[in-house]
Coordinates of all heavy atoms in Angstrom, one line a residue:
Chain E
C112 N -5.2 22.0 -13.8 CA -5.8 22.0 -15.1 C -5.8 23.3 -15.8 O -5.9 24.4 -15.1 CB -7.3 21.5 -14.9 SG -7.4 19.9 -14.3
G129 N -24.9 15.1 -19.4 CA -25.8 16.2 -19.4 C -25.5 17.3 -18.4 O -26.2 18.3 -18.2
Q130 N -24.4 17.1 -17.7 CA -24.0 18.0 -16.6 C -22.5 18.3 -16.8 O -21.7 17.4 -16.8 CB -24.3 17.3 -15.3 CG -24.1 18.2 -14.1 CD -25.4 18.9 -13.8 OE1 -26.5 18.5 -14.2 NE2 -25.3 20.0 -13.0
A131 N -22.2 19.6 -16.9 CA -20.8 20.0 -17.1 C -20.1 20.0 -15.8 O -20.0 21.1 -15.2 CB -20.8 21.3 -17.8
R173 N -38.5 28.5 0.7 CA -38.9 27.3 -0.1 C -38.9 26.0 0.6 O -39.3 25.0 0.1 CB -37.8 27.1 -1.2 CG -37.2 28.4 -1.7 CD -37.2 28.6 -3.1 NE -37.1 30.0 -3.3 CZ -37.5 30.6 -4.4 NH1 -38.1 30.0 -5.4 NH2 -37.3 31.9 -4.5
R190 N -8.5 31.5 -7.5 CA -8.0 31.4 -8.9 C -6.5 31.3 -8.9 O -5.8 31.6 -7.9 CB -8.4 32.7 -9.7 CG -9.9 32.9 -9.8 CD -10.0 34.2 -10.6 NE -11.4 34.5 -10.7 CZ -12.1 35.3 -9.9 NH1 -11.5 35.8 -8.8 NH2 -13.4 35.5 -10.1
S191 N -6.0 30.8 -10.0 CA -4.6 30.7 -10.2 C -3.9 32.1 -10.0 O -2.7 32.2 -9.7 CB -4.2 30.0 -11.5 OG -4.9 30.6 -12.5
G284 N -44.0 40.1 -3.3 CA -43.5 38.9 -2.7 C -43.9 38.7 -1.3 O -43.5 37.6 -0.7
H476 N -67.5 73.6 -20.2 CA -66.3 73.3 -21.1 C -65.8 74.5 -21.8 O -64.6 74.8 -21.8 CB -66.7 72.2 -22.0 CG -66.5 70.8 -21.3 ND1 -66.4 69.6 -22.0 CD2 -66.5 70.5 -20.0 CE1 -66.3 68.6 -21.1 NE2 -66.4 69.2 -19.9
R479 N -64.1 76.8 -19.4 CA -62.8 76.2 -19.0 C -61.7 76.4 -20.0 O -60.6 76.6 -19.7 CB -63.1 74.8 -18.6 CG -62.0 74.1 -17.9 CD -62.4 72.7 -17.5 NE -63.0 72.8 -16.2 CZ -62.4 73.0 -15.0 NH1 -61.1 73.4 -15.1 NH2 -63.0 73.0 -13.9
G488 N -59.6 70.2 -15.7 CA -58.7 70.9 -14.7 C -59.3 71.0 -13.4 O -60.4 70.5 -13.2
Chain X
rG1 P -33.6 20.2 -23.6 OP1 -34.8 19.4 -23.9 OP2 -33.7 21.3 -22.7 O5' -32.4 19.3 -23.0 C5' -32.0 18.1 -23.8 C4' -30.8 17.6 -23.1 O4' -29.7 18.6 -23.3 C3' -30.8 17.5 -21.6 O3' -31.4 16.2 -21.2 C2' -29.4 17.7 -21.2 O2' -28.7 16.5 -21.3 C1' -28.9 18.7 -22.2 N9 -29.0 20.1 -21.8 C8 -29.8 21.1 -22.3 N7 -29.6 22.2 -21.7 C5 -28.7 22.0 -20.8 C6 -28.1 22.9 -19.8 O6 -28.3 24.1 -19.7 N1 -27.2 22.3 -19.0 C2 -26.9 21.0 -19.0 N2 -26.0 20.6 -18.2 N3 -27.4 20.1 -19.9 C4 -28.3 20.7 -20.7
rU2 P -32.4 16.0 -20.0 OP1 -32.9 14.6 -20.0 OP2 -33.4 17.1 -20.1 O5' -31.5 16.3 -18.8 C5' -30.6 15.2 -18.3 C4' -29.8 15.8 -17.2 O4' -29.0 16.9 -17.7 C3' -30.6 16.4 -16.0 O3' -31.0 15.3 -15.1 C2' -29.5 17.3 -15.4 O2' -28.6 16.6 -14.6 C1' -28.8 17.9 -16.6 N1 -29.4 19.1 -17.1 C2 -29.1 20.3 -16.5 O2 -28.3 20.3 -15.5 N3 -29.6 21.5 -16.9 C4 -30.5 21.6 -18.0 O4 -30.9 22.7 -18.3 C5 -30.9 20.3 -18.6 C6 -30.3 19.2 -18.1
rC5 P -36.4 21.8 -5.9 OP1 -36.7 21.6 -4.5 OP2 -37.0 21.0 -6.9 O5' -36.8 23.3 -6.2 C5' -36.4 24.4 -5.4 C4' -36.8 25.7 -6.0 O4' -36.1 25.8 -7.3 C3' -38.3 25.9 -6.4 O3' -39.0 26.2 -5.2 C2' -38.2 27.0 -7.4 O2' -37.9 28.2 -6.8 C1' -37.0 26.6 -8.2 N1 -37.3 25.8 -9.4 C2 -37.8 26.4 -10.5 O2 -37.9 27.7 -10.5 N3 -38.1 25.7 -11.6 C4 -37.9 24.4 -11.6 N4 -38.2 23.7 -12.7 C5 -37.4 23.7 -10.5 C6 -37.1 24.4 -9.4
rC12 P -48.0 39.1 -11.0 OP1 -46.6 38.6 -11.1 OP2 -49.1 38.1 -11.1 O5' -48.2 39.9 -9.7 C5' -47.2 41.0 -9.3 C4' -47.6 41.5 -8.0 O4' -48.9 42.2 -8.1 C3' -47.8 40.5 -6.9 O3' -46.6 40.1 -6.4 C2' -48.7 41.3 -5.9 O2' -48.0 42.2 -5.2 C1' -49.7 42.0 -6.9 N1 -50.9 41.3 -7.2 C2 -52.0 41.4 -6.3 O2 -51.9 42.1 -5.3 N3 -53.1 40.7 -6.6 C4 -53.2 39.9 -7.7 N4 -54.3 39.3 -7.9 C5 -52.1 39.8 -8.6 C6 -51.0 40.5 -8.3
rU13 P -46.5 38.7 -5.7 OP1 -45.1 38.6 -5.1 OP2 -46.8 37.7 -6.7 O5' -47.6 38.7 -4.6 C5' -48.3 37.6 -4.2 C4' -49.4 38.1 -3.4 O4' -50.4 38.8 -4.2 C3' -50.2 37.1 -2.7 O3' -49.6 36.7 -1.4 C2' -51.6 37.8 -2.5 O2' -51.5 38.7 -1.4 C1' -51.7 38.5 -3.8 N1 -52.4 37.8 -4.8 C2 -53.8 37.6 -4.6 O2 -54.4 38.0 -3.6 N3 -54.5 36.9 -5.6 C4 -53.9 36.4 -6.7 O4 -54.6 35.7 -7.5 C5 -52.5 36.6 -6.9 C6 -51.8 37.3 -5.9
rU38 P -71.6 69.1 -12.8 OP1 -72.4 67.9 -13.0 OP2 -70.9 69.3 -11.6 O5' -70.6 69.1 -14.0 C5' -71.1 68.9 -15.4 C4' -69.9 69.1 -16.3 O4' -69.4 70.4 -16.2 C3' -68.7 68.2 -16.1 O3' -68.9 66.9 -16.6 C2' -67.6 68.9 -16.8 O2' -67.7 68.7 -18.1 C1' -68.0 70.4 -16.5 N1 -67.3 70.9 -15.3 C2 -65.9 71.1 -15.4 O2 -65.3 70.9 -16.4 N3 -65.3 71.6 -14.3 C4 -65.9 71.9 -13.1 O4 -65.2 72.4 -12.2 C5 -67.3 71.7 -13.0 C6 -67.9 71.2 -14.1
rC39 P -68.5 65.6 -15.9 OP1 -69.1 64.5 -16.7 OP2 -68.8 65.7 -14.4 O5' -66.9 65.6 -16.0 C5' -66.3 65.4 -17.3 C4' -64.9 65.6 -17.3 O4' -64.6 67.0 -16.9 C3' -64.1 64.9 -16.2 O3' -63.8 63.5 -16.6 C2' -62.8 65.7 -16.1 O2' -62.0 65.4 -17.2 C1' -63.4 67.1 -16.2 N1 -63.6 67.7 -14.9 C2 -62.5 68.3 -14.2 O2 -61.4 68.3 -14.7 N3 -62.7 68.8 -13.0 C4 -63.9 68.8 -12.4 N4 -64.1 69.4 -11.2 C5 -65.1 68.2 -13.1 C6 -64.8 67.7 -14.3
rG75 P -19.4 24.6 -14.5 OP1 -19.7 25.4 -15.7 OP2 -18.6 23.3 -14.6 O5' -18.7 25.4 -13.3 C5' -18.5 26.6 -13.2 C4' -17.2 27.1 -13.8 O4' -17.6 27.8 -15.0 C3' -16.6 28.1 -12.9 O3' -15.2 28.0 -12.6 C2' -17.0 29.5 -13.5 O2' -16.1 30.4 -13.2 C1' -17.3 29.2 -14.9 N9 -18.5 29.9 -15.4 C8 -19.8 29.6 -15.3 N7 -20.6 30.5 -15.8 C5 -19.8 31.5 -16.3 C6 -20.0 32.7 -17.0 O6 -21.1 33.1 -17.2 N1 -18.9 33.3 -17.3 C2 -17.6 32.9 -17.0 N2 -16.6 33.7 -17.4 N3 -17.3 31.8 -16.4 C4 -18.4 31.1 -16.1
rC76 P -14.2 27.2 -13.3 OP1 -14.4 27.2 -14.7 OP2 -13.7 25.9 -12.7 O5' -13.2 28.3 -12.9 C5' -13.5 29.1 -11.7 C4' -12.5 30.2 -11.8 O4' -11.2 29.7 -11.6 C3' -12.6 30.9 -13.2 O3' -12.8 32.2 -12.9 C2' -11.2 30.6 -13.8 O2' -10.6 31.8 -14.3 C1' -10.3 30.2 -12.6 N1 -9.4 29.2 -12.9 C2 -8.0 29.5 -12.7 O2 -7.8 30.7 -12.4 N3 -7.0 28.6 -12.9 C4 -7.4 27.4 -13.2 N4 -6.4 26.5 -13.4 C5 -8.7 27.0 -13.4 C6 -9.7 27.9 -13.2
rC77 P -13.2 33.4 -13.8 OP1 -12.9 33.4 -15.2 OP2 -12.6 34.5 -12.9 O5' -14.8 33.4 -13.7 C5' -15.4 33.9 -12.5 C4' -16.1 35.2 -12.9 O4' -17.2 34.9 -13.7 C3' -16.7 35.9 -11.7 O3' -15.8 36.7 -11.0 C2' -17.8 36.7 -12.3 O2' -17.2 37.9 -12.9 C1' -18.3 35.8 -13.4 N1 -19.5 35.0 -13.0 C2 -20.8 35.6 -13.2 O2 -20.8 36.7 -13.7 N3 -21.9 34.8 -12.9 C4 -21.7 33.6 -12.4 N4 -22.8 33.0 -12.1 C5 -20.4 33.0 -12.2 C6 -19.4 33.8 -12.5
rA78 P -15.7 36.7 -9.4 OP1 -14.5 37.5 -9.1 OP2 -16.0 35.4 -8.9 O5' -17.0 37.6 -9.1 C5' -17.1 39.0 -9.5 C4' -18.5 39.5 -9.2 O4' -19.4 38.7 -10.1 C3' -19.0 39.2 -7.8 O3' -18.6 40.3 -6.9 C2' -20.5 39.1 -8.0 O2' -21.1 40.4 -8.2 C1' -20.6 38.4 -9.4 N9 -20.7 37.0 -9.2 C8 -19.7 36.0 -9.1 N7 -20.1 34.8 -8.9 C5 -21.5 34.9 -9.0 C6 -22.5 34.0 -9.0 N6 -22.3 32.6 -8.8 N1 -23.8 34.4 -9.1 C2 -24.0 35.7 -9.3 N3 -23.1 36.7 -9.3 C4 -21.9 36.2 -9.2

Side-chain angles (χ1 to χ4, degrees):
Chain E
C112 296
Q130 189 88 16
R173 333 233 156 202
R190 300 180 179 91
S191 48
H476 279 196
R479 192 171 271 292

